[in-house]
Amino acid sequence: MSPRTKEQFEAIRNEKEKLILEVALSLFAKNGFESTSVSMIAKKAGISKGLMYSYFKSKEDLLKEIILNGLNRFIDFLKIEDPNNIQKQELINFIDGNFSLLKSNSDFYKLYFSLSLQPKVLAVLEAEIATLFGKFFSAFNNYFEKKGDKNPYVKTRYLLAIFDGVGLHYLVDTKNYPLDETRDIIVDLL
Amino acid sequence: MSPRTKEQFEAIRNEKEKLILEVALSLFAKNGFESTSVSMIAKKAGISKGLMYSYFKSKEDLLKEIILNGLNRFIDFLKIEDPNNIQKQELINFIDGNFSLLKSNSDFYKLYFSLSLQPKVLAVLEAEIATLFGKFFSAFNNYFEKKGDKNPYVKTRYLLAIFDGVGLHYLVDTKNYPLDETRDIIVDLL
Amino acid sequence: MSPRTKEQFEAIRNEKEKLILEVALSLFAKNGFESTSVSMIAKKAGISKGLMYSYFKSKEDLLKEIILNGLNRFIDFLKIEDPNNIQKQELINFIDGNFSLLKSNSDFYKLYFSLSLQPKVLAVLEAEIATLFGKFFSAFNNYFEKKGDKNPYVKTRYLLAIFDGVGLHYLVDTKNYPLDETRDIIVDLL
Amino acid sequence: MSPRTKEQFEAIRNEKEKLILEVALSLFAKNGFESTSVSMIAKKAGISKGLMYSYFKSKEDLLKEIILNGLNRFIDFLKIEDPNNIQKQELINFIDGNFSLLKSNSDFYKLYFSLSLQPKVLAVLEAEIATLFGKFFSAFNNYFEKKGDKNPYVKTRYLLAIFDGVGLHYLVDTKNYPLDETRDIIVDLL
DNA sequence: CATGAATGAGGTTTCATTCAT
DNA sequence: TATGAATGAAACCTCATTCAT
């Protein structure tokens, strides 16, 4: 066997890191952060605890990485060509992207919701989260302003709140919640 | 000296139980259930750890008591005279009650939201919660049906989701969230 | 109502003390000394914990009282008219007394057996126990000596061991153990 | 440095497990199960409390392991070639094995006796214990039946009770109890 | 890179005992 | 005499993290 090249090593590292992130997310989502032990994660990922600590310097660090990873997927859905002339379709695309992520990536949403009221854990990511939220807010706010809505601020905050409310209810009762029909109602608000 | 009377003992118990419940709720809301230790509760309540266990069988039992306590306040807001003829004002009263509770009792909401995605903890109260939620659902659903709404089920679930979404956003950003204006928007949906 | 006389008070005290002793014995026998809490005893006796401590200065003291109480019943069964001329019937009476106590007072036996291998607890009663055991030993030993038995010491120790072995097996399997038939075999050893 | 091999890890575990079992047995025998704390065990074994829990799920689990370990040594002493024709010598071998174990392994006997009247603790091992006891019973019962004894059942139960009585007395007064002479008396009963 | 034994701090819980009333 | 609220020490147990190999 020829010795592995640097690239191969890096590929293995990346792959294993990804595995840990996935496994940890699923466990955090299911049991909560505090109730998930590092041992459980290592076991489910098929590695040793020690190795986990070579990828992430602490359990909290692992959590942050997971959250950052998850947040980054959102930005992609919001594609605005011209901030001064936001198209309805652009916002619809965002909504649809969001909802499809909700379905495909519900673990991340669960984790995020369950942490969103415990500022301590998320404190370190405050800046990132504020930035992200700010982008969404601007987009909708600008759109409603341009559209001449009576109170764009209130409407925007209302709409963003709805996203989370619907997400929450969908996650709590995934089988029955009428997500697609709700999507139509929301789109009608634009 | 004569021993304390039954009434005196009961008064002591009631008062201290209330104290513990309040202190625990505030800490659970702030740090989360798992991250709040019985030591912290005892310290803040000015009692020994041991005493807490004379009032509540376990930390989890304490949590359940808190949740039950909190849930019971909700029911009062939903007063329906005739289920076959629900009045718009009755639902408005419910909404207003809810929002006023959100303001005055935000700790309970915080706790409830942060637990709502960890079914394990709430499992024991599932029945109570389902009953409560069922009542709210019926009220709105019946109302929308009677009103001839196109899809009462979807609308009801949408509305209940909005409550939680708005609540969540209000709790995360209490200072700025335009709760009263949002209330008007919601009332207009009826 | 006329005030109670000193005698009445004492009668009440004695009665209550007896009640506590009985209740505690039954619980100790069932759960073991360590696994029985003072609270359990007080509850089952229908008194407060504080009161219990006015009768017995500690949980251990209560145990000692119980053991002493129980041991004293034994002596009565061993009635020897003339130590230099012990009658077979006197020993038979002792055996029968013992076995009947085993049936009627099995709680005490259970407790005693389960403690007999933990010298710490019984250490304080060592003297009493040694005295009692010594009396039994002497009686049987003298009898076998007089009777011209080859090895009275061994036979005596063997016999006393049998008592406990049979007692133990009877207590473990009270329903099925053939106590009366065993009694006859033992009597034949005299 | 290369990590330890599986074999090395296993060796460490086996050794330490054995150490803990031995230390715990000695303490349980001396103080009783309830009065022996995990701290005491850990201290005497020279390990941390936490480590004990990596070897045994709980203090009770540790106890069960000890009992199972001890029980297994018994079976070896009972070797019956033909159950329909049990030889006197086979039973003598069993008795001698038992007594020699009593001497060499007195801690286990002590523990077992002190637990035998607290069914709660042993409840989980009931099946194993019943099986073991059943084997002994059958062997002696069959032997006495074949031999034409008047009442094989009573004799067998009497004999098994004697084993325990003698064991108990030997353990309480190891220095003086005439175990070997007693052994001869018992053998004569066959 | 990889392992899992080992630690130690801190969690939940129990309970004999005290003491104000 | 009688109560049970209250304490505090100590029990059992968990787990993030370290480290020798």
Side-chain angles (χ1 to χ4, degrees):
Chain A
M1 238 187 306
S2 63
R4 277 180 270 220
T5 64
K6 248 188 194 167
E7 287 74 23
Q8 282 175 310
F9 271 123
E10 198 151 318
I12 291 175
R13 238 196 119 70
N14 287 341
E15 211 172 313
K16 201 148 268 189
E17 183 176 324
K18 211 180 137 211
L19 172 66
I20 297 173
L21 287 167
E22 274 167 14
V23 163
L25 171 55
S26 78
L27 289 172
F28 287 163
K30 194 161 136 201
N31 315 315
F33 175 68
E34 307 282 352
S35 299
T36 301
S37 71
V38 172
S39 293
M40 287 164 66
I41 298 169
K43 196 174 195 177
K44 196 172 173 196
I47 61 168
S48 70
K49 274 182 288 182
L51 191 56
M52 213 226 72
Y53 277 88
S54 99
Y55 285 90
F56 303 93
K57 75 173 193 289
S58 70
K59 191 186 165 191
E60 259 213 337
D61 186 54
L62 170 58
L63 175 66
K64 281 176 209 157
E65 219 58 57
I66 289 174
I67 305 270
L68 266 184
N69 252 26
L71 290 178
N72 285 336
R73 300 207 191 176
F74 278 86
I75 304 186
D76 304 341
F77 295 129
L78 189 61
K79 286 201 182 105
I80 305 293
E81 290 269 308
D82 173 6
N84 293 317
N85 189 18
I86 293 170
Q87 300 302 306
K88 189 175 180 176
Q89 190 55 46
E90 289 173 328
L91 297 182
I92 292 177
N93 289 343
F94 171 71
I95 293 170
D96 285 339
N98 250 339
F99 278 6
S100 106
L101 199 59
L102 184 62
K103 286 180 184 170
S104 67
N105 212 12
S106 56
D107 275 349
F108 174 72
Y109 276 87
K110 272 190 191 170
L111 177 59
Y112 187 76
F113 277 130
S114 70
L115 290 175
S116 59
L117 288 166
Q118 268 151 257
K120 260 186 196 157
V121 183
L122 295 184
V124 199
L125 299 173
E126 214 180 276
E128 276 90 348
I129 293 172
T131 304
L132 193 66
F133 187 81
K135 274 183 186 148
F136 302 157
F137 178 83
S138 297
F140 283 91
N141 199 46
N142 290 355
Y143 173 80
F144 287 129
E145 258 177 5
K146 189 98 178 188
K147 198 182 148 200
D149 206 284
K150 202 173 55 190
N151 198 332
Y153 177 79
V154 171
K155 182 127 184 202
T156 300
R157 296 224 56 168
Y158 172 64
L159 207 71
L160 294 180
I162 289 178
F163 289 157
D164 282 349
V166 169
L168 198 57
H169 279 224
Y170 170 73
L171 290 172
V172 167
D173 183 23
T174 303
K175 271 192 201 129
N176 303 309
Y177 195 88
L179 195 58
D180 295 334
E181 292 91 331
T182 305
R183 177 260 182 206
D184 295 341
I185 301 182
I186 294 174
V187 166
D188 280 349
L189 291 175
L190 298 180
Chain B
M1 263 163 285
S2 61
R4 276 181 271 226
T5 64
K6 250 187 192 164
E7 287 73 24
Q8 284 173 310
F9 277 127
E10 205 178 318
I12 291 175
R13 277 198 88 79
N14 286 343
E15 207 174 318
K16 198 133 280 185
E17 181 175 325
K18 210 180 140 216
L19 171 67
I20 297 174
L21 286 168
E22 276 166 12
V23 164
L25 171 55
S26 79
L27 289 172
F28 287 164
K30 192 159 133 202
N31 316 313
F33 174 69
E34 310 279 358
S35 299
T36 301
S37 71
V38 172
S39 294
M40 289 164 66
I41 297 170
K43 198 173 197 174
K44 195 171 173 195
I47 60 169
S48 68
K49 270 184 288 180
L51 190 58
M52 203 230 79
Y53 285 91
S54 120
Y55 283 86
F56 301 94
K57 273 205 319 283
S58 67
K59 190 184 161 192
E60 221 185 334
D61 185 55
L62 170 58
L63 174 67
K64 278 176 211 156
E65 219 59 56
I66 288 174
I67 306 269
L68 269 183
N69 256 22
L71 290 179
N72 284 335
R73 301 206 190 175
F74 276 86
I75 303 185
D76 304 339
F77 296 130
L78 188 61
K79 286 200 183 105
I80 305 292
E81 288 270 307
D82 174 6
N84 294 318
N85 189 17
I86 294 170
Q87 300 301 306
K88 187 176 181 176
Q89 189 56 45
E90 289 173 327
L91 298 183
I92 293 177
N93 288 343
F94 171 70
I95 293 171
D96 286 338
N98 250 341
F99 278 6
S100 107
L101 199 58
L102 184 62
K103 286 179 185 171
S104 67
N105 213 11
S106 57
D107 275 350
F108 174 71
Y109 277 86
K110 272 191 192 170
L111 176 59
Y112 188 74
F113 279 131
S114 72
L115 290 175
S116 59
L117 288 166
Q118 267 153 258
K120 260 181 200 163
V121 183
L122 293 185
V124 196
L125 297 173
E126 216 179 274
E128 276 90 348
I129 293 171
T131 304
L132 194 66
F133 187 82
K135 275 184 187 147
F136 301 157
F137 178 83
S138 296
F140 284 91
N141 200 47
N142 290 356
Y143 173 81
F144 288 129
E145 259 178 5
K146 190 99 178 187
K147 200 182 146 200
D149 207 283
K150 203 175 54 192
N151 198 333
Y153 177 79
V154 171
K155 182 126 184 204
T156 298
R157 296 222 56 167
Y158 172 64
L159 207 71
L160 294 180
I162 289 179
F163 290 157
D164 282 349
V166 169
L168 201 56
H169 279 225
Y170 169 75
L171 290 172
V172 167
D173 182 23
T174 303
K175 273 191 200 132
N176 303 308
Y177 195 88
L179 195 58
D180 296 333
E181 292 91 333
T182 306
R183 177 259 184 208
D184 295 340
I185 301 183
I186 294 174
V187 166
D188 280 349
L189 291 177
L190 298 181
Chain C
M1 236 186 306
S2 62
R4 275 181 272 219
T5 64
K6 247 188 192 168
E7 288 73 24
Q8 283 175 310
F9 271 123
E10 199 152 316
I12 290 174
R13 237 196 120 71
N14 286 341
E15 210 172 314
K16 203 149 267 187
E17 185 176 322
K18 211 180 137 211
L19 172 67
I20 297 173
L21 288 167
E22 272 168 16
V23 163
L25 170 55
S26 79
L27 290 172
F28 288 163
K30 193 161 136 199
N31 315 314
F33 175 69
E34 307 283 351
S35 299
T36 301
S37 72
V38 171
S39 293
M40 287 164 66
I41 298 169
K43 196 175 196 176
K44 198 172 172 196
I47 60 168
S48 70
K49 272 181 289 181
L51 191 56
M52 212 225 73
Y53 278 88
S54 100
Y55 284 89
F56 304 92
K57 74 174 197 288
S58 70
K59 191 185 165 192
E60 259 213 338
D61 186 52
L62 170 57
L63 175 65
K64 280 175 209 157
E65 219 59 57
I66 288 173
I67 305 269
L68 267 184
N69 254 24
L71 290 180
N72 284 335
R73 300 207 191 176
F74 277 87
I75 304 186
D76 303 341
F77 296 129
L78 188 60
K79 284 194 185 113
I80 306 292
E81 289 271 306
D82 174 6
N84 292 318
N85 189 16
I86 294 170
Q87 300 303 307
K88 188 174 180 178
Q89 189 55 45
E90 289 173 327
L91 298 183
I92 293 177
N93 289 343
F94 171 71
I95 294 172
D96 286 337
N98 249 342
F99 278 6
S100 107
L101 199 59
L102 184 62
K103 286 180 184 170
S104 66
N105 212 11
S106 57
D107 276 350
F108 174 71
Y109 277 86
K110 271 190 191 169
L111 177 58
Y112 187 75
F113 277 130
S114 71
L115 290 175
S116 59
L117 288 166
Q118 269 150 260
K120 260 185 197 157
V121 183
L122 295 184
V124 198
L125 298 173
E126 215 180 276
E128 278 89 349
I129 293 171
T131 303
L132 194 64
F133 187 81
K135 273 181 189 149
F136 302 157
F137 179 82
S138 297
F140 283 91
N141 200 47
N142 290 355
Y143 174 81
F144 287 130
E145 259 177 5
K146 190 99 178 186
K147 199 181 148 200
D149 208 285
K150 203 172 55 190
N151 198 334
Y153 177 78
V154 170
K155 182 127 184 203
T156 299
R157 296 222 59 166
Y158 172 64
L159 207 69
L160 295 180
I162 288 178
F163 290 157
D164 282 349
V166 169
L168 198 57
H169 279 225
Y170 170 74
L171 291 172
V172 167
D173 182 24
T174 303
K175 271 192 202 131
N176 304 309
Y177 195 87
L179 196 57
D180 296 332
E181 292 91 332
T182 305
R183 177 259 183 208
D184 296 340
I185 301 183
I186 294 175
V187 166
D188 281 348
L189 290 177
L190 298 180
Chain D
M1 263 164 284
S2 61
R4 274 181 271 225
T5 64
K6 249 186 193 165
E7 288 73 24
Q8 283 173 310
F9 277 127
E10 206 179 316
I12 291 175
R13 277 198 88 77
N14 286 343
E15 208 174 318
K16 199 134 281 185
E17 182 176 325
K18 210 181 141 215
L19 170 67
I20 296 174
L21 286 169
E22 276 167 11
V23 164
L25 171 54
S26 78
L27 289 172
F28 287 165
K30 193 160 133 201
N31 316 312
F33 174 69
E34 309 280 356
S35 298
T36 302
S37 71
V38 172
S39 294
M40 288 163 67
I41 298 169
K43 199 174 199 176
K44 194 170 174 197
I47 59 170
S48 68
K49 269 183 288 181
L51 190 58
M52 203 230 77
Y53 285 92
S54 119
Y55 283 86
F56 302 93
K57 273 206 317 286
S58 66
K59 190 186 160 191
E60 221 185 333
D61 186 54
L62 171 57
L63 175 66
K64 279 177 212 156
E65 220 59 57
I66 289 174
I67 305 268
L68 269 183
N69 256 23
L71 290 179
N72 284 335
R73 300 206 191 175
F74 277 86
I75 304 185
D76 303 340
F77 296 130
L78 188 60
K79 285 198 184 107
I80 305 293
E81 289 270 308
D82 174 7
N84 293 318
N85 189 18
I86 294 170
Q87 300 302 307
K88 188 175 180 176
Q89 189 56 46
E90 290 173 328
L91 298 183
I92 292 176
N93 289 342
F94 171 69
I95 293 171
D96 286 338
N98 251 340
F99 278 5
S100 105
L101 201 59
L102 185 62
K103 287 179 186 171
S104 67
N105 214 11
S106 57
D107 275 350
F108 174 71
Y109 277 86
K110 273 191 193 171
L111 176 58
Y112 188 75
F113 278 131
S114 72
L115 290 175
S116 58
L117 287 166
Q118 268 153 258
K120 260 181 200 161
V121 183
L122 293 184
V124 197
L125 297 173
E126 215 179 274
E128 275 91 349
I129 293 171
T131 304
L132 195 65
F133 187 81
K135 274 182 188 148
F136 301 158
F137 179 83
S138 297
F140 284 91
N141 200 48
N142 290 355
Y143 173 81
F144 287 130
E145 260 178 4
K146 190 97 177 188
K147 199 183 148 203
D149 208 283
K150 203 173 55 189
N151 199 333
Y153 177 79
V154 171
K155 180 127 185 205
T156 299
R157 295 223 58 168
Y158 172 64
L159 207 70
L160 294 180
I162 288 178
F163 290 157
D164 282 349
V166 169
L168 200 56
H169 279 226
Y170 170 74
L171 291 171
V172 168
D173 182 24
T174 303
K175 273 192 201 132
N176 304 309
Y177 195 88
L179 195 58
D180 296 333
E181 292 90 333
T182 305
R183 177 258 183 211
D184 295 340
I185 302 182
I186 295 175
V187 166
D188 279 350
L189 291 176
L190 297 180

